[in-house]
Amino acid sequence: MFGRLFGRSAERPVADPHALPVPHRQKNGVYTLRALGDARVLALVEAAEAGDWTAVEAALEPFDLGRDHQVLGELADVDGVQDWIGRAVEEDKEHRATALLISGARHIIWGWEARTAERAVNVTEGQWRVFHERLDIAEEHLLEAAELRPEWVTPWRRLLTSGRGMSLGRAINETRLDAALRRDPLDLETHLEWVSQLQPRWGGKPGQALAFAQEAVARAPQGHRLGCVIAMAYIEEWVESERGDYLHTSEIQAQLREAADHSILHPAYAYRPGWQHDFNMFAMALSLAGERHTVRRVFQTLDGACTSWPWTYFAEPEKQFARHHRRA
């Protein structure tokens, strides 16, 4: 599928003047990444935690929130944003689209917090009601943000999430997928969202998500982070197969090695804030596949930096990262 780069070692990221100091490591050398490992993102998160909209606007200046899913995700994960972002939506006409985008993304996360991660049959009527109320707000705000800033891709990716949660149907979600990919045909987060949508637990067919991922990566230039969609597709296959040693085949190991060499381990790969998330996807997928060579290079580059996703598929994410890190 791609030209394999045997024997090439992973290029370590160059010194970043905005990189956060590595926090205190555990005895096993592992630490949990915070704020994408970037001091500017940390300032943004701290402003959001303080409910200071003016400071949030100032901290957003280095970033393009209409395209940077990871920075938007850091804001959406801040507990309490929902308590003050509505005022920004109503009062700041100049930055209304940005406030709507943040509000929409936060209400999706907040909605899922109400629903919980329980199976649908175990979610109470009250939880479902709050879930849908919050997703209704998310839909309204994201659609308006997309209308105000038609070049933005991030609202459409988030609308895929809310559309799946609200069971809006395949036709609506396909329209949203097309809208996102028209704005950025190689957008990784949109592809990851669709890989989830295509899982049998959401109405897809077995093998459909993997085929989508393989076709997408075949179009990606060398060094592009879209290669991570292959790693995530295999992780999702593992989840659907009820875990176990499903990925332990030489063919799957080879595909994962090839995808890693084509993307995160290629010299053209761009280390940006949150690059550790890309490497963690491959670290988990290669570990699940029992791969012994490329996984070592991935963990060496990470140097102990653990991101919660996608390890949250395990009951104890950081312990699982540490275990596989030690094996590699």
Side-chain angles (χ1 to χ4, degrees), residues 144-160:
E144 186 178 347
E147 183 178 358
L148 290 171
R149 298 295 299 268
E151 75 278 14
W152 281 359
V153 65
T154 47
W156 294 106
R157 180 263 170 175
R158 295 283 170 169
L159 283 163
L160 283 172

Side-chain angles (χ1 to χ4, degrees), residues 111-149:
W112 246 278
E113 287 173 2
R115 183 204 179 281
T116 75
E118 288 287 336
R119 291 179 178 272
V121 294
N122 297 325
V123 179
T124 68
E125 184 178 341
Q127 288 172 318
W128 279 121
R129 184 179 65 255
V130 174
F131 177 58
H132 282 283
E133 287 173 353
R134 293 174 182 177
L135 260 59
D136 280 338
I137 295 172
E139 289 261 320
E140 178 185 344
H141 286 190
L142 289 168
L143 286 167
E144 186 178 347
E147 183 178 358
L148 290 171
R149 298 295 299 268

Side-chain angles (χ1 to χ4, degrees), residues 269-282:
Y269 175 79
Y271 288 90
R272 54 199 291 280
W275 62 265
Q276 297 91 339
H277 287 265
D278 297 349
F279 275 72
N280 269 264
M281 279 186 268
F282 269 106

Side-chain angles (χ1 to χ4, degrees), residues 36 41 62-73 153-154 158 187 189 272-273:
L36 305 181
V41 179
F63 306 108
D64 180 359
L65 212 60
R67 292 191 172 273
D68 198 323
H69 300 279
Q70 289 180 297
V71 172
L72 177 59
V153 65
T154 47
R158 295 283 170 169
D187 185 66
E189 280 76 10
R272 54 199 291 280

